[in-house]
Amino acid sequence: SSYILKVRCNSDTQFTFKMIYQEVEILEVMKGNNFLKKGEKICISPANSYIFSDDGSINMGFINKMQIGKEYLVLLGEKKYSEELKMSIYPTTECILTMIFAYDDIKNMVLQEGYLSYTKVKNCEIFANSQEAIDLFEKMKIELLEKYST
């Protein structure tokens, strides 16, 4: 990761052509160069998020969207400029799992159905169809939060 930051989410998810992003405020820079500063507002996008045009489904990298006012540990790549949006975006580190971790302890549930209404899972942090996957995520989350605690 180029940057590891503690951030507070300032906006709901914005859906645009080929991109999903949210605005955050930097609370602490734990890793990265001197260009990003505490108090700065930036937009971040899950590197592995995309929209399937055939059925309208969205891949969020197994992680739910950030909630306004909540704090997160985020692992980000280098800044990219979006010509479509005329703004800079920081993508999360590329990984099968979106590298966004809530500081809150969030109860997750095993998703046993192939398709669920978002209202049933909107309070989960991770979307997984086995307890083993949830346990692995939660273990990694704890390790990262402990490593980069303030």
Side-chain angles (χ1 to χ4, degrees):
S1 299
S2 298
Y3 302 96
I4 299 176
L5 309 172
K6 180 178 183 178
V7 301
R8 179 181 304 112
C9 180
N10 287 345
S11 76
D12 204 358
T13 304
Q14 303 298 310
F15 296 90
T16 64
F17 181 67
K18 296 185 181 179
M19 186 172 298
I20 298 169
Y21 68 92
Q22 287 183 272
E23 181 187 274
V24 298
E25 178 181 348
I26 299 172
L27 302 176
E28 185 175 347
V29 178
M30 298 167 182
K31 177 185 173 190
N33 58 32
N34 294 326
F35 296 118
L36 293 177
K37 304 281 186 214
K38 180 179 179 178
E40 186 175 353
K41 293 178 181 168
I42 62 171
C43 289
I44 65 174
S45 177
N48 54 359
S49 65
Y50 53 88
I51 299 174
F52 296 99
S53 59
D54 58 342
D55 67 359
S57 62
I58 301 170
N59 175 15
M60 297 292 289
F62 303 101
I63 301 296
N64 202 351
K65 65 181 187 155
M66 295 183 289
Q67 301 297 316
I68 296 172
K70 299 290 185 180
E71 296 178 357
Y72 297 86
L73 178 72
V74 296
L75 286 70
L76 303 177
E78 290 296 325
K79 175 173 67 174
K80 297 184 179 192
Y81 187 76
S82 168
E83 286 294 330
E84 294 87 6
L85 299 175
K86 304 291 186 224
M87 63 189 283
S88 295
I89 302 282
Y90 288 85
T92 58
T93 300
E94 290 196 36
C95 184
I96 193 166
L97 183 72
T98 298
M99 296 284 103
I100 298 174
F101 303 93
Y103 277 91
D104 289 345
D105 185 20
I106 298 172
K107 176 90 171 98
N108 294 296
M109 61 185 245
V110 175
L111 309 178
Q112 297 177 340
E113 299 174 40
Y115 173 82
L116 289 171
S117 169
Y118 182 70
T119 57
K120 291 183 180 179
V121 296
K122 68 180 182 177
N123 294 320
C124 292
E125 181 173 12
I126 183 171
F127 304 130
N129 63 359
S130 75
Q131 188 60 49
E132 180 183 24
I134 290 173
D135 292 345
L136 286 170
F137 166 80
E138 290 175 348
K139 181 179 183 235
M140 180 175 62
K141 174 183 171 177
I142 289 168
E143 289 172 3
L144 285 168
L145 292 178
E146 286 176 355
K147 182 175 182 176
Y148 296 105
S149 65
T150 55

